[in-house]
């Protein structure tokens, strides 16, 4: 029988970027906050010997244990979904800090076009530019409304960068200057300019210099060791919750961090949400944690799964179009080209977001009248530091074993580099999240089921963007190139990237969204859901900056709710 604990004002489920921002902001304002994290607490010291590619990249030590909780996957409604047994297309972090610890550091403002995708597209190109099967909608918030929160996240995280020539004019400079330039990136920048594009430095959460943020947290300067993605930073030089927001929350006695607390359900009594039910996976002891407000911040997949398990909101039905929980599941597809050169670069040094980007083929930055798609993607070349096990690109036609492979991979290690795009995918009527009718997790709950396949729109954007990448790389005079191809169907096993969104989307209409623009549930005033799951579609950039901005705005909303109760936005 579950033990009932003392009531808290706010319980936060998941302590990554979103959860820790909410916890820190509410703790600073004097609210009584409990942060629940299913994993362990980790600090910078835990990553002092972390340069182990097999342990962290192959073994996915910082990710959810798929033997305990996984998802099932299928391409179409009439298929039986099967469990995902190893990570590929996306990663689900665990432990304190979540994905904010193992990320690369790319930190963007979404474009104003993103927030008004449907209305701006129809205004410029007419209502028939995109078929009704693509469920595009506005976000219920504008860029200008979110801008102050973007700026606040940048200042907390110490983001470096420079003005995007294709983006809105910045009101403030980046908190830190751009990272170092390398010979490879200089050559790519020149190639972009030769191809008629307008390159700029990728905005990065890797510190270009020592930085102290407005909360007094000091981050060290990046050492360019090349162990960012899927690793924690042993220098405290990559912005993350464990060096910014969580220490701030812990400065306040009214905040408590409780680890090894896996939330199974949001509880209701007489129709009102009263708290959460969680289990300690070490002891299997179960607890009831009452709270005035429940904040769900546990990754796109787990946010959606928790609402479905708790029967909060209405599950999306692709047959009828009714419901919104699980709707608009999207991801990034990454058109990419790897070029092989006859000159050498030092590819072992780098940082997660050390790069050069162009935005010329993203958003509505070019006329889409004569193409069969909208939006596009940002194109980047990054120097992230090649590691010894999996970083072994070879020219097409090379055998993938034996002496030929070894010789070619050694030769290409410092003579090859890739460029790729964060390409949008539009929400589609049959791509969604639901509960699996067959498979259950370690606690007996139905697994989350992903139904997803590539659409015609995806193929059209992919072909166009890949052509642009090839045009740029041709300006670098490569010896040969490998171009990625989009398969007939989406496969969840090959690595793509981690940017899955949707499932608990925001909007202005309770019929087509789960939360309002404060991320407060339309169906439960005292439940706030925050993360990539709020995005009605993915933009052409990495999502973390937008998650951070939304979390700061939601924290304000939660504080208002605690003072006044009731809905923060009229339906």
């Amino acid at each position: 029988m579950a033990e009932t604990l003392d009531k808290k004002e706010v319980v936060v489920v998941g302590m990554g970027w979103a959860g820790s921002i909410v916890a820190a902001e509410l703790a600073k304002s004097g609210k009584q906050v409990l942060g629940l994290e299913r994993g362990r607490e980790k600090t910078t010291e835990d990553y002092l010997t972390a340069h182990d590619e097999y342990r962290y990249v192959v073994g996915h030590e910082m990710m959810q244990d798929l033997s305990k909780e996984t998802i099932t996957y299928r391409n179409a409604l009439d298929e039986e979904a099967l469990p995902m047994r190893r990570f590929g297309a996306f990663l689900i972090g665990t432990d304190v800090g979540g994905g904010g610890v193992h990320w690369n550091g790319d930190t963007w403002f979404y474009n104003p076009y993103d927030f008004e995708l449907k209305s701006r597209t129809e205004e410029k190109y007419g209502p028939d530019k995109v078929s009704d099967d693509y469920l595009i909608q506005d976000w219920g918030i504008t860029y200008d409304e979110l801008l102050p929160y973007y700026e606040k996240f940048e200042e907390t995280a110490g983001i470096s960068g420079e003005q995007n020539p294709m983006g809105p004019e910045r009101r403030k400079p980046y908190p830190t200057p751009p990272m170092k330039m390398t010979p490879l990136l200089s050559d790519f920048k020149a190639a972009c300019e030769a191809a008629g594009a307008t390159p700029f430095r990728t905005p990065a959460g890797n510190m270009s210099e020592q930085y102290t943020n407005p909360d007094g947290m000091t981050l060290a300067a990046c050492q360019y060791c090349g162990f960012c993605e899927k690793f924690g930073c042993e220098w405290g030089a990559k912005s993350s919750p464990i060096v910014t927001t969580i220490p701030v929350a812990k400065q306040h006695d009214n905040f408590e961090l409780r680890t090894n607390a896996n939330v199974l359900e949001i509880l209701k009594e007489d129709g009102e949400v009263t708290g959460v039910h969680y289990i300690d996976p070490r002891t299997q002891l179960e607890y009831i944690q009452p709270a005035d407000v429940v904040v769900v911040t546990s990754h796109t997949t787990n946010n959606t799964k928790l609402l479905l398990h708790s029967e909060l909101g209405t599950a999306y039905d692709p047959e009828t179009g009714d419901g919104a929980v699980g709707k608009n599941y999207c991801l990034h597809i990454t058109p990419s080209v790897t070029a092989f050169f006859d000159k050498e670069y030092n590819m072992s040094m780098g940082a997660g977001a050390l790069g050069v980007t162009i935005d010329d083929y993203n958003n509505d930055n070019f006329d889409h009248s004569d193409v069969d798609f909208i939006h596009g993607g940002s194109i980047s070349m990054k120097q992230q530091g090649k590691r010894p096990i999996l970083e072994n690109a070879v020219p097409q036609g090379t055998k993938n074993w034996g002496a030929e492979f070894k010789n070619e991979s050694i030769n290409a290690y410092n003579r090859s580099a890739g460029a790729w795009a964060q390409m949008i995918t539009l929400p589609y009527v049959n791509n969604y999240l639901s509960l699996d009718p067959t498979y259950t997790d370690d606690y007996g709950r139905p697994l989350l089921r992903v139904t997803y396949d590539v659409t015609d729109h995806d193929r059209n954007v992919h072909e166009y963007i890949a052509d642009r990448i090839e045009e740029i790389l041709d300006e670098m005079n490569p010896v040969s190139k490998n171009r990625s191809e989009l398969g007939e169907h989406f496969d969840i096993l090959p690595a793509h990237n981690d940017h899955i969104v949707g499932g608990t989307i925001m909007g202005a209409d309770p019929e087509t969204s789960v939360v309002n623009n404060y991320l407060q549930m339309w169906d439960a005033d005292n439940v706030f859901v925050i993360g990539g799951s709020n995005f009605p579609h993915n933009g052409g950039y990495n999502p973390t900056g937008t998650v951070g901005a939304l979390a700061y705005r939601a924290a304000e909303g939660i504080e208002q709710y605690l003072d006044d109760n009731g809905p923060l936005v009229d339906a």
Side-chain angles (χ1 to χ4, degrees):
M1 183 175 178
E3 177 185 354
T4 300
L5 305 172
D6 293 338
K7 188 177 182 181
K8 301 284 186 179
E9 279 189 289
V10 180
V11 61
V12 182
V13 182
M15 291 303 290
W17 269 123
S20 65
I21 287 170
V22 169
E25 292 304 292
L26 295 180
K28 284 191 286 187
S29 66
K31 306 302 181 187
Q32 192 182 42
V33 184
L34 170 65
L36 296 179
E37 167 57 45
R38 67 179 173 184
R40 299 166 292 174
E41 182 165 15
K42 294 285 188 68
T43 65
T44 296
E45 288 72 21
D46 289 301
Y47 301 108
L48 287 176
T49 57
H51 288 193
D52 185 337
E53 185 180 6
Y54 191 82
R55 178 178 170 186
Y56 287 96
V57 181
V58 179
H60 293 120
E61 179 165 312
M62 299 176 70
M63 310 308 162
Q64 176 174 301
D65 183 352
L66 297 184
S67 71
K68 305 290 185 184
E69 297 180 79
T70 185
I71 63 168
T72 63
Y73 171 73
R74 61 180 182 173
N75 285 127
L77 302 184
D78 59 355
E79 293 178 354
E80 180 183 356
L82 295 173
M84 181 178 76
R85 298 301 188 192
R86 56 189 171 92
F87 283 112
F90 55 83
L91 303 171
I92 307 172
T94 194
D95 294 331
V96 171
V101 179
H102 68 75
W103 70 320
N104 269 323
D106 303 59
T107 309
W108 294 88
F109 293 6
Y110 271 22
N111 189 273
Y113 175 59
D114 279 312
F115 299 100
E116 300 167 274
L117 183 72
K118 182 176 176 62
S119 55
R120 291 196 182 199
T121 297
E122 291 183 352
E123 180 182 357
K124 184 171 180 179
Y125 300 108
D128 299 327
K129 180 64 176 175
V130 177
S131 94
D132 292 339
D133 287 339
Y134 295 96
L135 307 178
I136 62 171
Q137 62 186 65
D138 294 347
W139 290 40
I141 193 169
T142 66
Y143 172 86
D144 289 340
E145 289 172 315
L146 199 56
L147 181 56
Y149 307 97
Y150 270 126
E151 292 169 342
K152 189 164 186 174
F153 180 68
E154 275 193 346
E155 291 168 353
T156 295
I159 304 305
S160 70
E162 62 186 3
Q163 173 69 44
N164 172 359
M166 304 296 289
E169 189 70 27
R170 293 179 60 85
R171 299 193 307 186
K172 299 180 177 179
Y174 280 97
T176 53
M179 302 189 76
K180 294 181 183 297
M181 200 63 169
T182 70
L184 173 71
L185 297 180
S186 294
D187 286 356
F188 180 71
K189 181 173 184 288
C192 291
E193 292 168 342
T198 50
F200 58 99
R201 305 302 304 281
T202 307
N206 321 101
M207 297 301 103
S208 59
E209 62 185 21
Q210 181 173 301
Y211 173 71
T212 300
N213 74 13
D215 288 320
M217 297 294 112
T218 298
L219 289 78
C222 179
Q223 303 300 302
Y224 298 86
C225 71
F227 284 80
C228 290
E229 186 178 34
K230 302 182 182 69
F231 296 87
C233 180
E234 78 270 38
W235 301 99
K238 180 174 66 173
S239 194
S240 81
I242 66 174
V243 294
T244 56
T245 43
I246 288 172
V248 171
K250 293 176 75 172
Q251 289 175 344
H252 301 273
D253 294 337
N254 50 320
F255 170 74
E256 179 189 351
L257 173 62
R258 198 175 294 165
T259 56
N260 296 293
N262 195 348
V263 175
L264 304 178
E265 185 181 1
I266 300 169
L267 300 173
K268 290 179 289 187
E269 189 173 313
D270 298 327
E272 297 292 324
V273 168
T274 56
V276 299
H277 171 205
Y278 75 87
I279 187 170
D280 185 330
R282 301 167 303 177
T283 63
Q284 299 300 304
L285 293 176
E286 299 183 32
Y287 301 91
I288 303 298
Q289 178 59 64
D292 292 327
V293 171
V294 173
V295 186
V296 183
T297 56
S298 57
H299 189 263
T300 291
T301 52
N302 292 321
N303 284 358
T304 306
K305 183 172 70 174
L306 194 52
L307 294 196
L308 291 172
H309 280 157
S310 307
E311 298 183 347
L312 278 171
T314 304
Y316 172 66
D317 183 343
E319 304 284 356
T320 65
D322 295 335
V325 179
K327 182 183 172 187
N328 282 37
Y329 174 78
C330 300
L331 41 75
H332 273 148
I333 291 176
T334 50
S336 65
V337 180
T338 299
F340 298 85
F341 307 105
D342 58 8
K343 64 184 291 188
E344 286 190 274
Y345 300 97
N346 179 359
M347 298 300 288
S348 60
M349 300 295 288
L354 176 64
V356 168
T357 298
I358 64 164
D359 221 13
D360 301 72
Y361 309 110
N362 197 14
N363 305 306
D364 196 35
N365 292 340
F366 64 101
D367 188 0
H368 290 68
S369 298
D370 296 327
V371 295
D372 294 329
F373 63 88
I374 61 171
H375 216 297
S378 59
I379 297 173
S380 301
M381 177 175 278
K382 295 205 291 183
Q383 187 160 345
Q384 297 174 307
K386 287 188 176 181
R387 298 184 289 263
I389 298 178
L390 298 178
E391 304 281 356
N392 44 28
V394 293
Q396 283 182 341
T398 304
K399 293 177 181 177
N400 61 359
W401 75 94
E404 179 183 353
F405 172 75
K406 292 177 182 176
N407 291 334
E408 288 293 341
S409 62
I410 291 170
N411 182 65
Y413 181 84
N414 282 326
R415 295 182 179 86
S416 64
W420 61 89
Q422 298 290 2
M423 186 197 104
I424 61 102
T425 57
L426 294 186
Y428 188 68
V429 62
N430 289 340
N431 292 338
Y432 72 112
L433 302 173
S434 58
L435 292 181
D436 191 279
T438 304
Y439 296 96
T440 59
D441 65 16
D442 218 33
Y443 311 108
R445 303 175 303 167
L447 294 181
L448 188 72
R449 179 176 63 184
V450 175
T451 304
Y452 186 85
D453 207 354
V454 176
T455 68
D456 290 341
H457 188 274
D458 297 337
R459 297 185 188 286
N460 295 337
V461 188
H462 190 279
E463 192 70 12
Y464 181 89
I465 295 292
D467 285 347
R468 304 289 82 75
I469 297 173
E470 278 211 72
E471 288 173 359
I472 294 168
L473 291 183
D474 282 344
E475 298 290 342
M476 297 177 74
N477 300 314
V479 177
S480 63
K481 295 171 292 184
N482 294 350
R483 172 168 165 160
S484 67
E485 301 294 338
L486 203 53
E488 181 178 358
H489 296 289
F490 186 81
D491 187 349
I492 204 166
L493 286 181
H496 296 272
N497 61 49
D498 309 330
H499 310 147
I500 56 175
V501 300
T504 70
I505 60 175
M506 61 190 296
D509 182 354
E511 295 296 319
T512 59
S513 58
V514 177
V515 296
N516 63 32
N517 61 24
Y518 282 99
L519 313 185
Q520 178 188 38
M521 284 197 73
W522 293 112
D523 292 349
D525 293 344
N526 64 338
V527 177
F528 292 76
V529 187
I530 311 169
S533 60
N534 302 132
F535 295 16
H537 69 272
N538 229 333
Y541 311 112
N542 306 59
T544 300
T546 302
V547 171
L550 290 173
Y552 273 112
R553 180 174 163 83
E556 282 191 2
I558 295 165
E559 199 170 344
Q560 290 179 38
Y561 173 82
L562 286 168
D563 291 339
D564 302 327
N565 292 330
L568 299 170
V569 177
D570 292 330

